Amino acid sequence: SRTLPAAIDGTAEIENIAGTIWDQWVARSFQPIRLIGVTVSNFGDGGGQAGLFIDPDQERQRRVDAVADQISDRFGSAAIKRGGSIK
């Protein structure tokens, strides 16, 4: 598990952290598995101090996530997938 020092809301950020945890586990003690999942918790209310400077890459990713959510809401979760998740 991983506890972060600040809140995040980007799908790519969560995916990167999960990948890092996976890589660390594989390097330590890989064993065959049947199922793996990712859970996020400790959701905030959106209040609190925002950063003074906006990271353009994070802002772009937030917009991509928002559009992907709209497509999923309208057409179902199978209507859109991240490129890296298609096998």
Coordinates of all heavy atoms in Angstrom, one line a residue:
S1 N 0.8 -1.2 0.0 CA 0.0 0.0 0.0 C 0.9 1.2 0.0 O 2.1 1.2 0.3 CB -0.9 0.0 1.2 OG -0.2 0.3 2.4
R2 N 0.3 2.3 -0.3 CA 1.0 3.6 -0.4 C 0.1 4.7 0.1 O -1.0 4.8 -0.3 CB 1.4 3.9 -1.8 CG 2.2 5.1 -2.1 CD 3.7 5.0 -1.8 NE 4.3 3.7 -2.0 CZ 4.9 3.3 -3.2 NH1 5.0 4.1 -4.2 NH2 5.5 2.2 -3.2
T3 N 0.6 5.5 1.1 CA -0.1 6.7 1.5 C 0.7 7.9 1.0 O 1.9 8.0 1.2 CB -0.1 6.8 3.1 OG1 -0.8 5.6 3.5 CG2 -0.9 8.0 3.5
L4 N 0.0 8.8 0.3 CA 0.6 9.9 -0.3 C 0.5 11.2 0.6 O -0.4 11.3 1.3 CB -0.1 10.2 -1.7 CG -0.1 9.0 -2.6 CD1 -0.9 9.4 -3.9 CD2 1.3 8.6 -3.0
P5 N 1.5 12.0 0.4 CA 1.5 13.2 1.3 C 0.5 14.3 0.9 O 0.1 15.1 1.7 CB 2.9 13.8 1.0 CG 3.3 13.3 -0.3 CD 2.7 12.0 -0.4
A6 N 0.0 14.2 -0.4 CA -1.0 15.1 -0.8 C -2.1 14.4 -1.7 O -1.8 13.3 -2.2 CB -0.4 16.2 -1.7
A7 N -3.2 15.0 -1.8 CA -4.3 14.4 -2.5 C -4.0 14.4 -4.0 O -3.3 15.3 -4.5 CB -5.6 15.2 -2.3
I8 N -4.5 13.3 -4.7 CA -4.4 13.2 -6.2 C -5.7 12.9 -6.7 O -6.6 12.4 -6.0 CB -3.3 12.2 -6.6 CG1 -3.7 10.8 -6.2 CG2 -1.9 12.6 -6.1 CD1 -2.8 9.7 -6.8
D9 N -6.0 13.2 -8.0 CA -7.2 12.9 -8.6 C -7.1 12.4 -10.0 O -8.1 12.3 -10.7 CB -8.2 14.1 -8.5 CG -7.7 15.3 -9.4 OD1 -6.6 15.2 -9.9 OD2 -8.4 16.2 -9.5
G10 N -5.9 12.1 -10.4 CA -5.7 11.7 -11.8 C -5.6 10.2 -12.0 O -4.9 9.5 -11.2
T11 N -6.3 9.7 -13.0 CA -6.2 8.2 -13.3 C -4.8 7.8 -13.6 O -4.3 6.7 -13.1 CB -7.1 7.9 -14.5 OG1 -8.4 8.4 -14.2 CG2 -7.2 6.4 -14.8
A12 N -4.1 8.6 -14.4 CA -2.7 8.2 -14.7 C -1.8 8.2 -13.5 O -0.9 7.3 -13.4 CB -2.1 9.2 -15.7
E13 N -2.0 9.1 -12.5 CA -1.2 9.1 -11.3 C -1.5 7.8 -10.5 O -0.5 7.2 -10.0 CB -1.5 10.3 -10.5 CG -1.1 11.6 -11.1 CD -1.7 12.8 -10.4 OE1 -2.9 13.0 -10.4 OE2 -0.9 13.5 -9.7
I14 N -2.7 7.5 -10.4 CA -3.1 6.2 -9.6 C -2.5 5.0 -10.3 O -1.9 4.1 -9.7 CB -4.6 6.1 -9.5 CG1 -5.1 7.3 -8.6 CG2 -5.0 4.8 -8.9 CD1 -6.6 7.5 -8.6
E15 N -2.6 5.0 -11.6 CA -2.0 3.9 -12.4 C -0.5 3.8 -12.2 O 0.0 2.7 -12.1 CB -2.4 4.1 -13.9 CG -2.0 2.9 -14.8 CD -2.4 3.1 -16.2 OE1 -3.3 3.9 -16.5 OE2 -1.8 2.4 -17.1
N16 N 0.2 4.9 -12.2 CA 1.6 4.9 -12.1 C 2.0 4.4 -10.7 O 3.0 3.6 -10.5 CB 2.2 6.3 -12.3 CG 2.2 6.7 -13.8 OD1 2.2 5.9 -14.6 ND2 2.2 8.0 -14.0
I17 N 1.3 4.8 -9.7 CA 1.6 4.4 -8.3 C 1.4 2.9 -8.2 O 2.2 2.1 -7.6 CB 0.8 5.2 -7.3 CG1 1.3 6.6 -7.3 CG2 0.9 4.6 -5.9 CD1 0.4 7.6 -6.6
A18 N 0.2 2.4 -8.7 CA 0.0 1.0 -8.7 C 1.0 0.2 -9.4 O 1.5 -0.9 -9.0 CB -1.4 0.7 -9.3
G19 N 1.5 0.7 -10.6 CA 2.6 0.0 -11.3 C 3.9 0.0 -10.5 O 4.6 -1.0 -10.5
T20 N 4.2 1.0 -9.8 CA 5.4 1.1 -9.0 C 5.3 0.0 -7.8 O 6.3 -0.7 -7.6 CB 5.6 2.5 -8.4 OG1 5.7 3.4 -9.4 CG2 6.8 2.5 -7.5
I21 N 4.1 -0.1 -7.2 CA 3.9 -1.1 -6.1 C 4.1 -2.5 -6.7 O 4.7 -3.3 -6.1 CB 2.6 -0.8 -5.4 CG1 2.6 0.5 -4.7 CG2 2.2 -2.0 -4.5 CD1 1.2 0.9 -4.2
W22 N 3.5 -2.7 -7.9 CA 3.6 -4.0 -8.5 C 5.0 -4.3 -8.8 O 5.5 -5.4 -8.5 CB 2.8 -4.0 -9.8 CG 3.0 -5.2 -10.7 CD1 3.8 -5.2 -11.8 CD2 2.4 -6.5 -10.6 NE1 3.8 -6.5 -12.3 CE2 2.9 -7.3 -11.6 CE3 1.5 -7.0 -9.7 CZ2 2.6 -8.6 -11.8 CZ3 1.2 -8.3 -9.8 CH2 1.7 -9.1 -10.9
D23 N 5.8 -3.4 -9.4 CA 7.2 -3.7 -9.8 C 8.0 -4.0 -8.5 O 8.8 -4.9 -8.6 CB 7.8 -2.5 -10.5 CG 7.2 -2.2 -11.9 OD1 6.6 -3.2 -12.4 OD2 7.4 -1.1 -12.4
Q24 N 7.7 -3.3 -7.4 CA 8.5 -3.6 -6.2 C 8.1 -5.0 -5.7 O 9.0 -5.7 -5.2 CB 8.1 -2.6 -5.1 CG 8.7 -1.2 -5.4 CD 8.2 -0.1 -4.5 OE1 7.2 -0.3 -3.7 NE2 8.8 1.1 -4.6
W25 N 6.8 -5.4 -5.7 CA 6.4 -6.7 -5.3 C 7.0 -7.8 -6.2 O 7.5 -8.8 -5.7 CB 4.9 -6.8 -5.3 CG 4.4 -8.2 -4.9 CD1 4.4 -8.7 -3.6 CD2 3.9 -9.2 -5.8 NE1 3.9 -10.0 -3.7 CE2 3.6 -10.3 -5.0 CE3 3.8 -9.3 -7.1 CZ2 3.1 -11.5 -5.5 CZ3 3.2 -10.4 -7.7 CH2 2.9 -11.5 -6.8
V26 N 7.0 -7.6 -7.5 CA 7.6 -8.6 -8.4 C 9.1 -8.8 -8.1 O 9.6 -9.9 -8.1 CB 7.3 -8.2 -9.9 CG1 8.2 -9.0 -10.8 CG2 5.9 -8.3 -10.2
A27 N 9.8 -7.7 -7.9 CA 11.2 -7.8 -7.6 C 11.5 -8.5 -6.3 O 12.6 -9.2 -6.2 CB 11.8 -6.4 -7.6
R28 N 10.6 -8.4 -5.4 CA 10.8 -9.0 -4.0 C 10.4 -10.5 -4.0 O 11.2 -11.3 -3.5 CB 10.0 -8.2 -3.0 CG 10.8 -7.7 -1.9 CD 10.0 -7.0 -0.8 NE 8.6 -7.1 -0.9 CZ 7.7 -6.1 -1.3 NH1 8.2 -4.9 -1.6 NH2 6.4 -6.2 -1.3
S29 N 9.2 -10.8 -4.4 CA 8.7 -12.1 -4.1 C 7.6 -12.5 -5.1 O 6.5 -12.8 -4.7 CB 8.2 -12.2 -2.7 OG 7.1 -11.3 -2.5
F30 N 7.9 -12.5 -6.4 CA 6.8 -12.8 -7.3 C 6.3 -14.3 -7.2 O 7.1 -15.2 -7.0 CB 7.3 -12.6 -8.8 CG 6.2 -13.0 -9.8 CD1 5.3 -12.1 -10.0 CD2 6.2 -14.2 -10.4 CE1 4.3 -12.4 -11.0 CE2 5.2 -14.5 -11.3 CZ 4.3 -13.6 -11.6
Q31 N 5.0 -14.4 -7.2 CA 4.4 -15.7 -7.2 C 3.2 -15.6 -8.1 O 2.6 -14.6 -8.3 CB 3.9 -16.1 -5.8 CG 5.0 -16.2 -4.7 CD 4.4 -16.4 -3.3 OE1 3.3 -16.6 -3.1 NE2 5.3 -16.3 -2.3
P32 N 2.8 -16.7 -8.7 CA 1.6 -16.7 -9.6 C 0.4 -16.2 -8.8 O 0.2 -16.5 -7.7 CB 1.4 -18.1 -10.1 CG 2.8 -18.7 -9.9 CD 3.4 -18.0 -8.7
I33 N -0.4 -15.3 -9.5 CA -1.7 -14.8 -8.8 C -2.8 -15.0 -9.8 O -2.6 -15.1 -11.0 CB -1.5 -13.4 -8.4 CG1 -1.1 -12.5 -9.6 CG2 -0.5 -13.2 -7.3 CD1 -1.1 -11.0 -9.3
R34 N -4.0 -14.9 -9.3 CA -5.2 -15.0 -10.1 C -5.9 -13.7 -10.3 O -6.6 -13.4 -11.3 CB -6.2 -16.0 -9.5 CG -5.7 -17.4 -9.6 CD -6.8 -18.3 -9.1 NE -8.0 -18.1 -9.9 CZ -9.1 -18.9 -9.8 NH1 -9.1 -19.9 -8.9 NH2 -10.1 -18.6 -10.5
L35 N -5.8 -12.8 -9.3 CA -6.5 -11.5 -9.4 C -5.8 -10.5 -8.6 O -5.1 -10.7 -7.6 CB -7.9 -11.8 -8.7 CG -8.8 -10.6 -8.6 CD1 -9.3 -10.1 -10.0 CD2 -10.0 -10.9 -7.7
I36 N -5.8 -9.3 -9.2 CA -5.2 -8.1 -8.5 C -6.2 -7.0 -8.6 O -6.9 -6.8 -9.6 CB -3.8 -7.8 -9.1 CG1 -3.1 -6.8 -8.3 CG2 -3.9 -7.4 -10.5 CD1 -1.6 -6.7 -8.6
G37 N -6.2 -6.1 -7.6 CA -7.1 -5.0 -7.6 C -6.4 -3.7 -7.1 O -5.4 -3.8 -6.4
V38 N -7.0 -2.6 -7.4 CA -6.5 -1.3 -6.9 C -7.6 -0.6 -6.2 O -8.7 -0.6 -6.7 CB -5.9 -0.4 -8.1 CG1 -5.5 0.9 -7.5 CG2 -4.8 -1.1 -8.8
T39 N -7.3 -0.2 -5.0 CA -8.3 0.5 -4.2 C -7.8 1.9 -3.8 O -6.6 2.0 -3.5 CB -8.7 -0.3 -2.9 OG1 -9.1 -1.6 -3.3 CG2 -9.7 0.4 -2.1
V40 N -8.6 2.9 -3.8 CA -8.3 4.2 -3.3 C -9.2 4.5 -2.2 O -10.3 4.1 -2.1 CB -8.3 5.3 -4.4 CG1 -7.3 5.0 -5.5 CG2 -9.7 5.4 -5.0
S41 N -8.7 5.3 -1.2 CA -9.5 5.6 0.0 C -9.0 7.0 0.5 O -8.1 7.6 0.0 CB -9.4 4.6 1.0 OG -8.0 4.4 1.4
N42 N -9.7 7.4 1.7 CA -9.4 8.6 2.3 C -9.7 9.8 1.4 O -8.9 10.7 1.3 CB -7.9 8.7 2.8 CG -7.6 7.7 3.9 OD1 -8.5 7.3 4.6 ND2 -6.4 7.2 3.9
F43 N -10.9 9.8 0.8 CA -11.3 10.9 -0.1 C -11.5 12.1 0.7 O -12.1 12.1 1.8 CB -12.6 10.5 -0.8 CG -12.4 9.4 -1.8 CD1 -12.8 8.1 -1.4 CD2 -11.8 9.6 -3.0 CE1 -12.6 7.0 -2.3 CE2 -11.6 8.5 -3.9 CZ -12.0 7.3 -3.5
G44 N -11.0 13.2 0.2 CA -11.3 14.5 0.8 C -12.5 15.1 0.2 O -13.2 14.6 -0.7
D45 N -12.9 16.3 0.8 CA -14.1 17.0 0.3 C -13.8 18.0 -0.8 O -14.6 18.8 -1.2 CB -14.8 17.6 1.5 CG -13.9 18.7 2.2 OD1 -12.8 18.9 1.8 OD2 -14.4 19.2 3.2
G46 N -12.5 18.1 -1.2 CA -12.2 19.0 -2.2 C -11.8 20.4 -1.7 O -11.3 21.3 -2.4
G47 N -11.9 20.5 -0.4 CA -11.5 21.8 0.3 C -10.0 21.8 0.5 O -9.3 20.9 0.1
G48 N -9.5 22.8 1.0 CA -8.1 22.9 1.3 C -7.4 23.8 0.3 O -8.0 24.3 -0.7
Q49 N -6.2 24.0 0.6 CA -5.4 24.9 -0.3 C -4.9 24.3 -1.5 O -4.3 23.2 -1.5 CB -4.1 25.4 0.5 CG -3.2 26.3 -0.2 CD -3.9 27.7 -0.4 OE1 -4.5 28.2 0.4 NE2 -3.7 28.2 -1.6
A50 N -5.3 24.9 -2.7 CA -4.8 24.4 -4.0 C -3.4 24.9 -4.2 O -3.0 25.9 -3.6 CB -5.7 24.9 -5.1
G51 N -2.7 24.3 -5.1 CA -1.3 24.8 -5.4 C -1.4 26.1 -6.1 O -2.3 26.5 -6.8
L52 N -0.3 26.9 -5.9 CA -0.2 28.2 -6.5 C 0.0 28.1 -8.0 O -0.6 28.9 -8.8 CB 0.9 29.0 -5.9 CG 1.1 30.4 -6.3 CD1 -0.2 31.2 -6.1 CD2 2.3 31.0 -5.6
F53 N 0.7 27.1 -8.5 CA 1.0 27.0 -9.9 C 0.4 25.7 -10.4 O 0.6 24.7 -9.8 CB 2.5 27.0 -10.2 CG 3.2 28.2 -9.7 CD1 3.9 28.2 -8.5 CD2 3.1 29.4 -10.4 CE1 4.5 29.4 -8.0 CE2 3.7 30.6 -9.9 CZ 4.4 30.6 -8.7
I54 N -0.3 25.8 -11.5 CA -1.0 24.7 -12.1 C 0.0 24.0 -13.1 O 0.6 24.6 -13.9 CB -2.2 25.1 -12.9 CG1 -3.2 25.7 -11.9 CG2 -2.8 23.9 -13.7 CD1 -4.4 26.4 -12.6
D55 N 0.2 22.7 -12.9 CA 1.0 21.9 -13.8 C 0.2 21.6 -15.0 O -0.9 21.0 -15.0 CB 1.3 20.5 -13.1 CG 2.2 19.6 -13.9 OD1 2.4 19.9 -15.1 OD2 2.7 18.6 -13.4
P56 N 0.7 22.0 -16.2 CA -0.1 21.9 -17.4 C -0.4 20.4 -17.8 O -1.4 20.1 -18.3 CB 0.8 22.5 -18.5 CG 1.8 23.3 -17.8 CD 1.9 22.8 -16.4
D57 N 0.6 19.5 -17.5 CA 0.3 18.1 -17.7 C -0.8 17.5 -16.9 O -1.6 16.7 -17.3 CB 1.6 17.3 -17.5 CG 2.7 17.6 -18.5 OD1 2.3 18.0 -19.7 OD2 3.9 17.5 -18.2
Q58 N -0.8 17.9 -15.6 CA -1.9 17.4 -14.7 C -3.2 18.0 -15.1 O -4.2 17.3 -15.1 CB -1.5 17.8 -13.2 CG -0.5 16.9 -12.6 CD -0.2 17.3 -11.2 OE1 -0.6 18.4 -10.7 NE2 0.4 16.4 -10.5
E59 N -3.2 19.2 -15.5 CA -4.5 19.9 -15.9 C -5.0 19.2 -17.2 O -6.2 18.9 -17.3 CB -4.3 21.3 -16.2 CG -5.6 22.1 -16.5 CD -6.6 22.0 -15.4 OE1 -6.3 21.8 -14.2 OE2 -7.8 22.0 -15.8
R60 N -4.1 18.9 -18.1 CA -4.5 18.1 -19.4 C -5.1 16.8 -19.0 O -6.1 16.4 -19.5 CB -3.3 18.0 -20.3 CG -3.6 17.3 -21.6 CD -2.4 17.2 -22.5 NE -2.7 16.4 -23.6 CZ -2.6 15.0 -23.6 NH1 -2.3 14.4 -22.6 NH2 -2.9 14.4 -24.7
Q61 N -4.4 16.1 -18.1 CA -4.9 14.7 -17.7 C -6.2 14.8 -17.0 O -7.1 13.9 -17.2 CB -3.9 14.1 -16.7 CG -4.2 12.6 -16.5 CD -4.2 11.8 -17.7 OE1 -3.3 11.8 -18.5 NE2 -5.3 11.0 -17.9
R62 N -6.5 15.9 -16.2 CA -7.8 16.0 -15.6 C -8.9 16.2 -16.6 O -10.0 15.7 -16.5 CB -7.8 17.3 -14.6 CG -7.1 17.0 -13.3 CD -7.3 18.2 -12.4 NE -6.6 17.9 -11.2 CZ -5.4 18.5 -10.9 NH1 -4.9 19.4 -11.7 NH2 -4.8 18.2 -9.8
R63 N -8.6 17.0 -17.7 CA -9.6 17.1 -18.8 C -9.8 15.8 -19.5 O -10.9 15.5 -19.8 CB -9.1 18.2 -19.7 CG -9.2 19.6 -19.1 CD -9.0 20.8 -20.1 NE -7.9 20.6 -21.0 CZ -6.7 21.2 -20.9 NH1 -6.5 21.9 -19.8 NH2 -5.8 21.0 -21.8
V64 N -8.7 15.1 -19.7 CA -8.9 13.8 -20.4 C -9.8 12.8 -19.5 O -10.7 12.2 -20.0 CB -7.5 13.1 -20.7 CG1 -7.7 11.7 -21.1 CG2 -6.8 13.9 -21.7
D65 N -9.5 12.8 -18.2 CA -10.3 12.0 -17.3 C -11.7 12.4 -17.3 O -12.6 11.6 -17.3 CB -9.7 12.1 -15.9 CG -8.4 11.3 -15.7 OD1 -8.1 10.4 -16.6 OD2 -7.7 11.5 -14.7
A66 N -12.0 13.7 -17.3 CA -13.4 14.2 -17.3 C -14.1 13.8 -18.6 O -15.3 13.4 -18.5 CB -13.4 15.7 -17.2
V67 N -13.5 13.9 -19.7 CA -14.1 13.5 -21.0 C -14.3 11.9 -21.0 O -15.4 11.5 -21.4 CB -13.3 13.9 -22.2 CG1 -13.8 13.3 -23.5 CG2 -13.3 15.4 -22.3
A68 N -13.4 11.2 -20.5 CA -13.5 9.7 -20.4 C -14.7 9.4 -19.5 O -15.5 8.5 -19.8 CB -12.2 9.1 -19.9
D69 N -14.8 10.1 -18.4 CA -16.0 9.8 -17.5 C -17.3 10.1 -18.2 O -18.3 9.4 -18.0 CB -15.8 10.7 -16.2 CG -14.7 10.2 -15.3 OD1 -14.3 9.1 -15.5 OD2 -14.3 11.0 -14.4
Q70 N -17.4 11.2 -18.9 CA -18.6 11.6 -19.7 C -19.0 10.5 -20.7 O -20.1 10.1 -20.8 CB -18.4 12.9 -20.4 CG -18.4 14.1 -19.4 CD -18.1 15.4 -20.1 OE1 -17.7 15.4 -21.3 NE2 -18.2 16.5 -19.4
I71 N -18.0 10.0 -21.4 CA -18.2 8.9 -22.4 C -18.7 7.7 -21.7 O -19.7 7.0 -22.2 CB -16.9 8.7 -23.2 CG1 -16.6 9.9 -24.1 CG2 -17.1 7.4 -24.1 CD1 -15.3 9.8 -24.8
S72 N -18.1 7.3 -20.6 CA -18.5 6.1 -19.9 C -19.9 6.3 -19.3 O -20.7 5.3 -19.4 CB -17.5 5.8 -18.7 OG -16.3 5.4 -19.2
D73 N -20.2 7.5 -18.8 CA -21.6 7.7 -18.3 C -22.6 7.6 -19.4 O -23.7 7.0 -19.2 CB -21.7 9.1 -17.6 CG -20.9 9.2 -16.3 OD1 -20.5 8.1 -15.8 OD2 -20.7 10.3 -15.9
R74 N -22.3 8.1 -20.5 CA -23.3 8.1 -21.6 C -23.4 6.8 -22.4 O -24.5 6.3 -22.7 CB -22.9 9.2 -22.6 CG -24.0 9.3 -23.7 CD -23.8 10.6 -24.5 NE -24.8 10.7 -25.5 CZ -24.9 11.6 -26.4 NH1 -24.0 12.6 -26.4 NH2 -25.8 11.6 -27.3
F75 N -22.3 6.1 -22.6 CA -22.3 4.9 -23.5 C -21.9 3.6 -22.7 O -21.9 2.6 -23.4 CB -21.3 5.1 -24.6 CG -21.7 6.3 -25.5 CD1 -21.0 7.5 -25.5 CD2 -22.8 6.2 -26.4 CE1 -21.3 8.5 -26.3 CE2 -23.1 7.3 -27.2 CZ -22.4 8.5 -27.1
G76 N -21.6 3.7 -21.5 CA -21.2 2.5 -20.7 C -19.7 2.4 -20.6 O -18.9 2.9 -21.4
S77 N -19.3 1.6 -19.6 CA -17.8 1.5 -19.3 C -17.0 0.8 -20.4 O -15.8 1.0 -20.5 CB -17.6 0.8 -17.9 OG -18.1 -0.5 -18.0
A78 N -17.7 0.0 -21.2 CA -17.0 -0.7 -22.3 C -16.7 0.2 -23.5 O -16.0 -0.2 -24.4 CB -17.7 -1.9 -22.7
A79 N -17.3 1.4 -23.5 CA -17.2 2.3 -24.7 C -15.8 2.9 -24.8 O -15.4 3.3 -25.9 CB -18.2 3.4 -24.6
I80 N -15.0 3.0 -23.8 CA -13.7 3.7 -23.8 C -12.7 3.0 -22.9 O -13.1 2.5 -21.8 CB -13.9 5.2 -23.5 CG1 -12.5 5.9 -23.7 CG2 -14.4 5.4 -22.0 CD1 -12.7 7.4 -23.7
K81 N -11.5 2.8 -23.4 CA -10.5 2.2 -22.6 C -9.2 2.9 -22.8 O -9.0 3.5 -23.9 CB -10.2 0.7 -23.1 CG -11.4 -0.2 -22.9 CD -11.6 -0.6 -21.5 CE -12.8 -1.6 -21.4 NZ -13.5 -1.5 -20.2
R82 N -8.3 2.9 -21.9 CA -6.9 3.4 -22.0 C -6.2 2.5 -23.0 O -6.3 1.3 -22.9 CB -6.2 3.5 -20.7 CG -6.8 4.6 -19.8 CD -5.9 4.9 -18.7 NE -6.3 6.0 -17.9 CZ -6.0 7.3 -18.2 NH1 -5.1 7.5 -19.2 NH2 -6.5 8.3 -17.5
G83 N -5.4 3.2 -23.8 CA -4.6 2.4 -24.8 C -3.7 1.3 -24.2 O -3.6 0.2 -24.8
G84 N -3.1 1.5 -23.1 CA -2.3 0.5 -22.4 C -3.0 -0.6 -21.9 O -2.5 -1.6 -21.6
S85 N -4.4 -0.5 -21.7 CA -5.1 -1.6 -21.1 C -5.7 -2.5 -22.1 O -6.3 -3.5 -21.8 CB -6.3 -1.0 -20.3 OG -7.2 -0.3 -21.1
I86 N -5.6 -2.2 -23.4 CA -6.1 -3.1 -24.5 C -5.1 -4.2 -24.8 O -4.0 -3.9 -25.1 CB -6.4 -2.3 -25.7 CG1 -7.5 -1.2 -25.4 CG2 -6.9 -3.2 -26.8 CD1 -7.8 -0.2 -26.5
K87 N -5.6 -5.4 -24.7 CA -4.7 -6.6 -25.0 C -5.3 -7.4 -26.1 O -6.4 -7.5 -26.4 CB -4.6 -7.5 -23.8 CG -4.1 -6.8 -22.5 CD -2.6 -6.6 -22.6 CE -2.2 -6.0 -21.2 NZ -1.2 -5.1 -21.2

